[in-house]
Amino acid sequence: MKAAYILDGQVSVGEVPDPIPQQGQVLVRTHSCGLCASEAHFLQSGEQVVGLCQKHGGPYAGLDLSRPFVPGHEYVGEVIDYGPNSKKPIRIGRKVTSVPIMRQAGAHSVIGFNNDCPGGFGEYMLLDEDMVIEVPSGLDDDLAAMTEPLAVGLEHARRGLPTNEDTPLVIGCGAIGLGVIVGLKLKGIGPIVAADFHAGRRKAALKMGADIVIDPREMSPYEPIHDLGGRQVNLVYECAGVPGLLQQIIQSVRFDGRIVMGGYCMEPEQILTFSAQNKRLTVYFAGGEEPQDMTLALNTIADGKIDIGSWIGAKIGLGGIAQALAEMSGPEAAIRTVVDPRKF
Amino acid sequence: MKAAYILDGQVSVGEVPDPIPQQGQVLVRTHSCGLCASEAHFLQSGEQVVGLCQKHGGPYAGLDLSRPFVPGHEYVGEVIDYGPNSKKPIRIGRKVTSVPIMRQAGAHSVIGFNNDCPGGFGEYMLLDEDMVIEVPSGLDDDLAAMTEPLAVGLEHARRGLPTNEDTPLVIGCGAIGLGVIVGLKLKGIGPIVAADFHAGRRKAALKMGADIVIDPREMSPYEPIHDLGGRQVNLVYECAGVPGLLQQIIQSVRFDGRIVMGGYCMEPEQILTFSAQNKRLTVYFAGGEEPQDMTLALNTIADGKIDIGSWIGAKIGLGGIAQALAEMSGPEAAIRTVVDPRKF
């Protein structure tokens, strides 16, 4: 099949082996797949990520960077076939998405970051039949492809155990931070404060349901907020992945604050536990979504409750991936570029 | 009054000004006061602790190390007098203890680590009348002086939100770790696993209610435990204050684990947030006790539910403090040395 693959830190488009479904696997023709910052990260620092996982444990320990792998983990596709003796939970021709996890030989592989589980930047994929969820008929492919990135934010949102007593602050309004805002809004938590350096991201945060947006260069989000009757944030979502930010939050948040660490940092972080103890802080380390988050994300998108279409910028084919990965950061970048892997 | 005081990193015994109670303050004649590792820490590294608090916030920012201060925050004493216009909640002649906090000019000072709030290593103290709790008549002074150190462990225990589903591990079986074990036992949580390098401490852990004790040189406490039917610890209490131990726990604990950080470390800790995120860990930073913990600790001691007398080693006068502070660590040291400040 045709696919965009990464080999030795380069993106290429070409032929890779057709995936052949085994028992318990669904063969899917991919319709749309979002481009995530983690793909750019693997392209630039794949060895570091794999090395960390090999040394300290983690889902990418088995990825061999000297062999090609097809990325893409924010996918929607059409069911084409099943492996022999499968349960076939969803009918041929229906569209599906899933948590990008494939159970293989008792372990979990991450689809799109594994040499044997190609992701959504190829014509075909294999999914785990126990993980797939059906996309409602009539829902646009590109909107459905936003299910996974939205689900990550929904997981982070609930990870902080938010209550009506909380005043949350979301730092970083990329896809993950925006998903956290959606997740908090769905739970009726608020007012929600969001902070980002970029005006476009702050605008997106308001669209997703933030009540107050802050440019951290202009004011501290940790002080009592006049427009909220003097309320002060106490539940901080780190969705930026900026080295040193965790300690800055520890330093700045109020007594009894809670922090959800969502942004990934590959280097060890220095934290002053003395400060965190004096303030009785709690840090929840957040990872990725679970099936319940995928279901909620898909339902939320399908119900039209949020304007997820506003996340989507350019729509490209396989041939545009390399350039899009190079240009994906920056204040003017769209939240998501989507790839139609049926096109070049 | 006579007191042992710290000045310029030295312990001396001599005359210091008599404390005079103001409105809202209780004048107490001290009967017994425990010697805590934090006093040794202030003696050796006071400037570092005060400097950290001045820079990053914390309760010791106001301590002037170039002026004498009288330490001792694990006290029991007899009510002698009140300041003018006080509420006088407890009758003269009764015995009291308290959270070592004094409200002064809108702020909170820590009794025993403040130039103007002498601690229990002097003949008299001032306490905040809204913080004192009455010691039941007939309860031995030295046992009652264990209320505060026990209360710290009780706070740490509840800070981890333990449930019947948890298998807790307590690392470090000094007073704080032993208090955590008592706190878990009082809540009916278990089996409780405790780890310490020293045999005497492991024995103390069993006496307080630990079900399994481990010498970390002999086996890892994080693996499934054969004697517990293969259960694996998931809620880890760091009560050792050893630099680097937090990251070691992050590295070793199982998926979805929770960590209560009780031990104080003054240097920044390096943690690999990537690992903590992959495992979806939660870290609760624990500080000191609150009034509810003091009440529970005192009731537990008074009810005779635990053999708190086993914590107590030598009983000394003011003149023995300097030597006791120098010798307080090490495998053979008692959990607590108690000081009778009425004696030299």
Side-chain angles (χ1 to χ4, degrees), chain A residues 118-143:
Chain A
F121 300 152
E123 288 177 283
Y124 298 96
M125 307 178 64
L126 298 174
L127 304 182
D128 188 318
E129 70 173 349
D130 289 334
M131 303 279 176
V132 287
I133 52 176
E134 187 169 343
V135 173
S137 63
L139 181 61
D140 177 77
D141 287 336
D142 298 336
L143 298 185

Side-chain angles (χ1 to χ4, degrees), chain A residues 114-178:
Chain A
N114 184 286
N115 303 95
D116 303 315
C117 300
F121 300 152
E123 288 177 283
Y124 298 96
M125 307 178 64
L126 298 174
L127 304 182
D128 188 318
E129 70 173 349
D130 289 334
M131 303 279 176
V132 287
I133 52 176
E134 187 169 343
V135 173
S137 63
L139 181 61
D140 177 77
D141 287 336
D142 298 336
L143 298 185
M146 298 299 106
T147 302
E148 200 274 345
L150 176 58
V152 177
L154 300 184
E155 188 268 349
H156 290 8
R158 68 177 169 84
R159 187 83 180 87
L161 305 174
T163 75
N164 289 325
E165 306 294 308
D166 292 319
T167 302
L169 165 66
V170 180
I171 302 180
C173 300
I176 308 307
L178 295 179

Side-chain angles (χ1 to χ4, degrees), chain B residues 8-327:
Chain B
D8 292 331
Q10 297 279 344
V11 182
S12 306
V13 178
E15 285 291 322
V16 299
D18 280 340
I20 297 165
Q22 307 298 312
Q23 185 179 353
Q25 294 181 336
V26 196
L27 179 68
V28 161
R29 181 197 304 268
T30 314
H31 286 209
S32 177
C33 185
L35 205 66
C36 170
S38 60
E39 274 111 30
H41 195 80
F42 267 83
L43 197 60
Q44 290 148 18
S45 315
E47 286 182 18
Q48 186 187 21
V49 181
V50 172
L52 273 176
C53 290
Q54 288 172 345
K55 188 169 171 199
H56 300 288
Y60 311 115
L63 179 62
D64 180 352
L65 294 165
S66 71
R67 288 174 54 207
F69 67 96
V70 179
H73 57 279
E74 304 178 350
Y75 44 75
V76 61
E78 176 190 352
V79 175
I80 298 291
D81 200 4
Y82 283 92
N85 303 314
S86 296
K87 287 176 279 182
K88 307 185 183 179
I90 292 171
R91 282 166 55 187
I92 305 290
R94 297 290 171 90
K95 284 192 286 192
V96 293
T97 182
S98 82
V99 174
I101 294 293
M102 173 74 81
R103 291 167 302 173
Q104 283 184 312
H108 290 185
S109 298
V110 183
I111 292 169
F113 294 115
N114 183 287
N115 303 98
D116 303 316
C117 300
F121 299 152
E123 288 178 283
Y124 297 96
M125 308 177 64
L126 298 174
L127 303 181
D128 187 318
E129 70 172 348
D130 289 334
M131 303 280 176
V132 286
I133 53 175
E134 186 169 344
V135 173
S137 62
L139 182 62
D140 177 78
D141 286 337
D142 298 335
L143 298 185
M146 297 300 107
T147 302
E148 200 273 346
L150 176 59
V152 176
L154 300 184
E155 188 267 350
H156 290 8
R158 68 177 170 83
R159 187 83 181 88
L161 306 175
T163 75
N164 289 326
E165 305 294 308
D166 292 319
T167 303
L169 165 66
V170 179
I171 302 180
C173 300
I176 309 308
L178 295 178
V180 171
I181 294 169
V182 172
L184 293 169
K185 205 75 189 172
L186 287 172
K187 287 175 186 290
I189 311 291
I192 301 168
V193 183
D196 200 295
F197 287 118
H198 302 313
R201 296 283 171 96
R202 294 196 298 274
K203 201 170 154 190
L206 287 170
K207 200 185 273 270
M208 291 300 118
D211 298 280
I212 298 273
V213 291
I214 287 176
D215 179 344
R217 288 168 298 206
E218 288 177 6
M219 65 175 279
S220 160
Y222 303 100
E223 301 300 316
I225 296 173
H226 183 263
D227 290 354
L228 297 178
R231 287 179 81 139
Q232 204 174 1
V233 303
N234 72 308
L235 173 57
V236 182
Y237 290 87
E238 201 283 50
C239 302
V242 173
L245 186 51
L246 178 57
Q247 173 57 21
Q248 191 181 312
I249 298 168
I250 288 172
Q251 205 57 35
S252 310
V253 72
R254 73 172 210 205
F255 187 90
D256 210 22
R258 284 147 40 228
I259 302 167
V260 177
M261 183 68 188
Y264 269 101
C265 294
M266 298 294 132
E267 301 293 334
E269 289 286 296
Q270 285 217 340
I271 63 167
L272 197 54
T273 56
F274 178 80
S275 290
Q277 288 172 302
N278 283 335
K279 290 188 181 177
R280 316 286 193 275
L281 304 184
T282 299
V283 181
Y284 310 97
F285 292 94
E289 77 284 3
E290 295 177 18
Q292 60 171 299
D293 306 301
M294 290 292 285
T295 303
L296 179 59
L298 183 57
N299 289 342
T300 302
I301 293 170
D303 291 352
K305 281 179 197 152
I306 56 163
D307 178 14
I308 199 86
S310 64
W311 289 25
I312 300 172
K315 181 159 187 175
I316 60 175
L318 295 177
I321 290 175
Q323 189 182 346
L325 282 173
E327 293 170 356

